[in-house]
Amino acid sequence: MSAFRDLKVVGDDRVTAIGLGTWGIGGYESPDYSRDDESVEVLRHGLELGINLIDTAEFYGAGHSEELVGRAIRGFDREELFIVSKVWPSHFGYSQAKRAARASAKRLGTYIDLYLLHWPGDSWRKIEETLHALEELVDEGLIRYIGVSNFDLELLRRSQEAMRRYEIVANEVKYSLKDRWPETSGLLDYMKREKIALIAYTPLEKGSLARNPCLAEIGRKYGKTASQVALNYLIWEENVIAIPKAGRKEHVEENAGAMGWRLSKEDREKARGCV
């Protein structure tokens, strides 16, 4: 489908502008096995539609989310997929980060395309040690790219300066029509200039934007839903990828429909006024 040629750049790779988010799939802070088969089917459905980015983390379901991603990708061409995972701050540090990455790769059953520091934590020394450990994991082939998550502009710059051999290629942050702090803080513009991908989580504000009548009115002009307008607002930016949660097949299909078209500048401005 042409809609799924809506691609963004991460490092030297091209990924779909909409990815599959897995927060809550397989549990939240502890494993939940009650919907495993359904969750795997939903993820596989997204991959079959042509979405190629899956975002997960060791923290999600205490690692069970990664196990479900590992199940979902079986039978697909691994080189066509882009898997993102994250190390939790309690595992920051040179040795701990390496152990955490290896454990994540084992649960996934494969290497990790993009490995992120999930939150800044409270120690710059630990952040720096972790970044240097991840550079060694790139050399080993366990991960391919290094990124951060929930880093503000100052901490992102500092992390860039700390890198010895590789670059920070992504920063995953909360970003939606309702919460546009990456725009107002200068983070988005800086990341554009530096060619760093911004991966936007909670892009639909837990479904509240899907129920916005103003966005629905804009969407009617394009034959799209309020959710699709809210997602398209984000991916309109050249370096932004959105990762709505892949909870149900129909939601994945609707999310995928946010790709392959763009709001006009006028309608994008109108969308800002809807929230």
Side-chain angles (χ1 to χ4, degrees):
M1 297 183 192
S2 61
F4 304 111
R5 304 318 299 166
D6 197 337
L7 302 176
K8 302 297 179 85
V9 175
V10 180
D12 293 324
D13 285 40
R14 297 179 73 79
V15 303
T16 45
I18 300 291
L20 301 168
T22 64
W23 167 240
I25 291 177
Y28 291 91
E29 294 183 22
S30 60
D32 177 359
Y33 305 99
S34 63
R35 297 180 59 190
D36 281 8
D37 290 344
E38 179 184 355
S39 295
V40 169
E41 284 303 308
V42 171
L43 290 172
R44 290 182 64 84
H45 186 59
L47 297 177
E48 288 163 357
L49 287 173
I51 297 173
N52 71 346
L53 184 149
I54 304 179
D55 178 90
T56 187
E58 65 169 0
F59 183 75
Y60 300 171
H64 189 46
S65 170
E66 291 174 321
E67 293 172 341
L68 294 179
V69 171
R71 282 179 54 187
I73 65 175
R74 290 174 192 162
F76 289 90
D77 184 346
R78 178 64 183 88
E79 292 186 0
E80 295 295 319
L81 306 181
F82 195 90
I83 297 174
V84 183
S85 194
K86 313 176 194 75
V87 56
W88 193 248
S90 60
H91 291 153
F92 283 5
Y94 182 80
S95 299
Q96 300 96 313
K98 283 191 168 186
R99 283 197 296 271
R102 291 190 176 106
S104 286
K106 184 176 181 180
R107 287 188 290 268
L108 289 164
T110 184
Y111 59 89
I112 302 166
D113 292 288
L114 173 61
Y115 200 50
L116 310 176
L117 281 66
H118 203 149
W119 286 90
D122 56 9
S123 168
W124 169 252
R125 181 180 62 81
K126 285 290 187 70
I127 289 175
E128 194 169 34
E129 286 180 4
T130 301
L131 291 172
H132 295 161
L134 300 194
E135 289 191 298
E136 293 186 9
L137 292 180
V138 173
D139 290 335
E140 294 174 21
L142 188 75
I143 66 177
R144 298 181 57 233
Y145 299 111
I146 300 166
V148 295
S149 182
N150 299 297
F151 278 37
D152 62 18
L153 180 52
E154 180 182 355
L155 198 52
L156 175 60
R157 283 174 170 157
R158 197 172 179 187
S159 300
Q160 287 178 287
E161 292 168 359
M163 301 298 280
R164 292 169 172 167
R165 297 189 300 283
Y166 298 103
E167 296 180 348
I168 300 289
V169 303
N171 185 14
E172 183 171 314
V173 298
K174 186 175 185 294
Y175 180 30
S176 72
L177 256 174
K178 189 176 181 180
D179 187 357
R180 302 199 303 273
W181 77 269
E183 298 175 15
T184 58
S185 66
L187 179 67
L188 177 60
D189 285 341
Y190 177 80
M191 290 175 62
K192 281 184 194 175
R193 292 194 300 271
E194 294 290 303
K195 301 189 184 307
I196 298 172
L198 190 156
I199 302 175
Y201 70 81
T202 320
L204 297 174
E205 292 290 342
K206 299 181 179 178
S208 67
L209 294 179
R211 301 184 292 273
N212 185 296
C214 177
L215 295 177
E217 178 63 28
I218 293 172
R220 278 191 276 276
K221 177 178 176 181
Y222 299 86
K224 299 295 181 179
T225 66
S227 289
Q228 290 167 335
V229 170
L231 291 172
N232 195 266
Y233 174 89
L234 300 179
I235 67 172
W236 197 94
E237 299 286 357
E238 63 187 32
N239 66 323
V240 175
I241 300 154
I243 50 166
K245 180 180 176 181
R248 298 177 182 275
K249 286 185 178 180
E250 57 266 31
H251 291 160
V252 171
E253 292 173 2
E254 184 177 12
N255 295 340
M259 294 188 286
W261 61 283
R262 289 293 182 270
L263 291 163
S264 68
K265 289 184 178 180
E266 294 76 15
D267 287 332
R268 193 165 186 264
E269 187 61 36
K270 285 181 185 177
R272 288 194 182 101
C274 289
V275 294

